[in-house]
Amino acid sequence: MTREQQESDPFDNSASPATPARLASVEREALADRSPKAEQDRVLTNAEARSWIVASAGFLALIAASGFSAALYGRPAFGSPDSICEFLGVGMTAGLLDWGASNVLGADNPRAISKLEKRVRLALSSWAAACAMLLLMIFVLKVSDHFSRATMLTFFVTGLLAVTAVRGVLAPALVRATRRAALRRRGALVIADACNPALLAVVRALRDVGYDSPIAVTIDVSRSQEHWPEQRRRVLDHIAFCAKTMKAGEIFLCGSGIPIDRLKSLETGLSLIPRSLFYVPDDAVSRVLRGRQISELGEHVTVEIQREPLSRFERAVKRMIDLAGATVLLIALLPVLAIVAIAIGVDSPGPILFRQTRLGLGGRPFDILKFRTMHVTENGSHVRQARRNDARVTKVGRVLRRTSLDELPQLINVIKGEMSLVGPRPHAIAHDEEFAKIIENYEIRQHVKPGVTGWAQVTGLRGETPSPDVMAKRIDADLWYAANASIWLDVRIILRTAMIILTERDAY
């Protein structure tokens, strides 16, 4: 069969029988294809390769952003001493820091680049971390006098736009273009059961991504066990002949419909041909594996079906934000805290702070702190929720509850690690016991640390829960946060909380 015939008819299975000498010849030629230069030319189709492509583009974009910033503010009209060459070094350093941060945050995870929102979130998080590390380096090295604040600020903004554009918007197109360029001079062999309906779809998909004239080799799995050796030899002969005559490329084995013992024997035979061999599972398995992280557990293969919302690194970042945010707010609001404490003491007898036992992460009890806003301090098996015009609320308490100032002592709970700035609001234990009996999945909210504010509080579900239906809606919001938690979502919730405190006065 000529090469032209193969390309014109990808489903032509006719081939001359392959002798052991021919197989040895094919092996030598294929091994030659594994020379250092050929290895460099091999197409990279996994998540690691995609991350390298996007990282390289982001690195170059940051260097361009640093050059633009230095050129803009390095002109005499602005009186800036910045040298473009010096600032290009800053851009390269920032690019390396951004690359390292993105890898730590999971840029090589297929799910990290599967959706636009995830790509943008990753870009924003990694650039924020890179900027923080860059500023720390400038401070430690005492070179801040070399660069103007205007240039640095411009670079931070243009760099943010650059990494967001490259990783968020251009990444899929960039990866597709790079893969097409790499695959344009490569061939592909597809092995499948003759009755496999996915065969044509696989061939078409290979063409779509850039492979040049994929060749299909079909197997008749209906043959009896007695005739299988002849069938196997015919297929391996044809593959050997095609591998010898086609361009450098890969072999794709579609496993659907092929018995496992015959599949293994085909893999054994194909191992004599030193080409990359890819297994194409059936549609059901493909749906499970798509975008998943695959790893090994002893002799078993594991597939990550669902990733916990926050990685170990992201949990560490969230904790640092909690510590820094709570500490800064406590120090900044000390005068306000003192005034509130004095007002409570003058208004009504009783303690300044109200302590109530609530359940935190993992159902562990802790004492939540609040400024006392009532004449009573209920904490036990019976706790009545506050209602509008509740006679138990003091005069000062009404102001505190309306402005949410009564929640400020919970910053101490945050510093102690019992709460977070953002998370599901903890309820009184009496209410937990009551609603856990009638609301499905109620206790799942305790799989994350409770917060001073949360998703339910910024989506109109703040305040009294007079019925199980109202509480169920709040729990749904809490569960949604637990499943979708991220640093970026926490920032959004904090900003929306600030807007609600400043504009709404409906709390009671």
Side-chain angles (χ1 to χ4, degrees):
M1 185 196 320
T2 65
R3 180 175 179 275
E4 290 75 10
Q5 287 174 324
Q6 291 177 25
E7 293 184 350
S8 61
D9 186 4
F11 290 91
D12 186 359
N13 289 332
S14 61
S16 302
T19 63
R22 174 176 294 178
L23 277 174
S25 174
V26 170
E27 182 173 355
R28 286 194 299 272
E29 292 190 19
L31 283 171
D33 187 42
R34 288 191 170 187
S35 62
K37 182 179 184 306
E39 285 295 326
Q40 293 176 4
D41 292 338
R42 288 186 66 196
V43 61
L44 300 176
T45 58
N46 53 26
E48 181 181 359
R50 293 197 295 268
S51 68
W52 272 102
I53 293 169
V54 177
S56 300
F59 180 75
L60 295 176
L62 287 175
I63 293 177
S66 66
F68 169 79
S69 302
L72 181 63
Y73 282 98
R75 292 179 292 170
F78 291 93
S80 172
D82 297 337
S83 166
I84 294 180
C85 292
E86 287 183 2
F87 210 73
L88 286 176
V90 174
M92 294 177 66
T93 304
L96 292 173
L97 293 173
D98 178 72
W99 171 79
S102 65
N103 277 326
V104 171
L105 291 171
D108 58 343
N109 190 326
R111 293 175 59 183
I113 59 174
S114 60
K115 294 182 180 180
L116 176 61
E117 181 183 356
K118 293 181 180 180
R119 294 195 302 271
V120 172
R121 185 190 307 165
L122 176 63
L124 294 175
S125 301
S126 63
W127 181 237
C131 290
M133 289 186 286
L134 181 63
L135 289 174
L136 180 61
M137 290 176 61
I138 292 174
F139 174 77
V140 172
L141 297 175
K142 299 181 180 180
V143 294
S144 56
D145 293 340
H146 287 69
F147 311 109
S148 69
R149 289 187 294 272
T151 306
M152 292 297 297
L153 181 59
T154 303
F155 174 55
F156 290 156
V157 174
T158 55
L160 176 63
L161 296 175
V163 296
T164 303
V166 170
R167 289 211 184 99
V169 181
L170 302 179
L174 182 64
V175 171
R176 284 195 299 268
T178 306
R179 290 183 63 189
R180 280 184 176 277
L183 293 171
R184 191 171 293 120
R185 294 183 298 275
R186 302 185 69 82
L189 290 169
V190 183
I191 307 172
D193 173 22
C195 299
N196 187 347
L199 174 59
L200 185 60
V202 172
V203 172
R204 186 181 297 113
L206 291 170
R207 285 201 185 102
D208 290 342
V209 299
Y211 276 97
D212 185 16
S213 301
I215 300 172
V217 179
T218 58
I219 304 171
D220 184 4
V221 295
S222 64
R223 294 286 184 92
S224 64
Q225 191 66 29
E226 179 184 356
H227 294 91
W228 167 244
E230 174 64 22
Q231 173 81 353
R232 175 180 179 273
R233 185 194 63 79
R234 182 190 68 79
V235 171
L236 293 178
D237 280 353
H238 188 57
I239 294 295
F241 179 79
C242 293
K244 179 178 180 179
T245 57
M246 80 173 189
K247 305 173 181 179
E250 289 77 40
I251 300 174
F252 296 85
L253 177 59
C254 300
S256 178
I258 304 177
I260 188 64
D261 58 331
R262 298 187 180 186
L263 198 61
K264 289 182 178 179
S265 68
L266 281 174
E267 292 177 3
T268 302
L270 292 170
S271 66
L272 296 174
I273 304 175
R275 301 261 185 179
S276 294
L277 177 62
F278 292 91
Y279 178 75
V280 182
D282 57 32
D283 290 342
V285 177
S286 294
R287 282 192 292 270
V288 173
L289 297 179
R290 184 172 289 112
R292 308 298 183 183
Q293 195 77 18
I294 300 176
S295 57
E296 294 184 3
L297 181 65
E299 297 182 354
H300 302 278
V301 175
T302 62
V303 181
E304 185 184 61
I305 300 298
Q306 176 176 297
R307 174 182 175 270
E308 59 181 332
L310 294 177
S311 65
R312 184 178 302 176
F313 176 79
E314 289 170 321
R315 289 197 299 271
V317 171
K318 181 180 174 70
R319 179 59 183 152
M320 287 189 291
I321 293 174
D322 286 342
L323 283 173
T327 303
V328 170
L329 285 173
L330 272 178
I331 295 173
L333 296 173
L334 272 177
V336 177
L337 297 174
I339 294 172
V340 170
I342 294 172
I344 293 174
V346 171
D347 179 55
S348 62
I352 303 299
L353 292 178
F354 166 56
R355 301 171 183 267
Q356 188 177 72
T357 304
R358 302 199 177 183
L359 299 181
L361 179 64
R364 291 186 289 272
F366 71 99
D367 288 336
I368 194 171
L369 299 176
K370 288 187 174 188
F371 279 126
R372 182 176 58 83
T373 59
M374 293 186 176
H375 296 288
V376 297
T377 54
E378 296 175 345
N379 184 21
S381 59
H382 178 72
V383 176
R384 188 156 54 96
Q385 294 189 47
R387 303 177 183 276
R388 191 177 297 275
N389 300 320
D390 197 319
R392 297 173 299 166
V393 180
T394 65
K395 293 179 180 179
V396 172
R398 295 189 190 282
V399 177
L400 297 180
R401 297 175 74 91
R402 191 160 51 244
T403 57
S404 298
L405 290 174
D406 60 319
E407 311 285 0
L408 289 180
Q410 290 165 40
L411 295 173
I412 298 175
N413 293 115
V414 174
I415 293 175
K416 291 171 65 178
E418 297 166 335
M419 295 180 66
S420 174
L421 291 176
V422 179
R425 287 291 297 161
H427 301 147
I429 292 182
H431 298 155
D432 282 335
E433 294 174 350
E434 175 188 355
F435 289 113
K437 299 175 182 177
I438 57 178
I439 298 178
E440 187 178 6
N441 300 323
Y442 179 90
E443 294 177 343
I444 292 180
R445 62 199 302 275
Q446 294 170 1
H447 287 218
V448 295
K449 193 177 291 186
V452 178
T453 184
W455 182 246
Q457 283 64 48
V458 299
T459 52
L461 298 172
R462 180 185 181 210
E464 183 188 3
T465 52
S467 67
D469 290 340
V470 176
M471 177 60 83
K473 291 180 181 179
R474 178 180 291 185
I475 298 308
D476 287 342
D478 289 340
L479 296 181
W480 183 90
Y481 172 82
N484 297 276
S486 69
I487 302 299
W488 177 239
L489 179 59
D490 283 3
V491 173
R492 288 172 54 196
I493 291 174
I494 290 173
L495 294 176
R496 291 177 67 172
T497 299
M499 292 297 298
I500 290 173
I501 291 174
L502 294 174
T503 59
E504 294 187 11
R505 294 292 182 267
D506 293 335
Y508 50 86

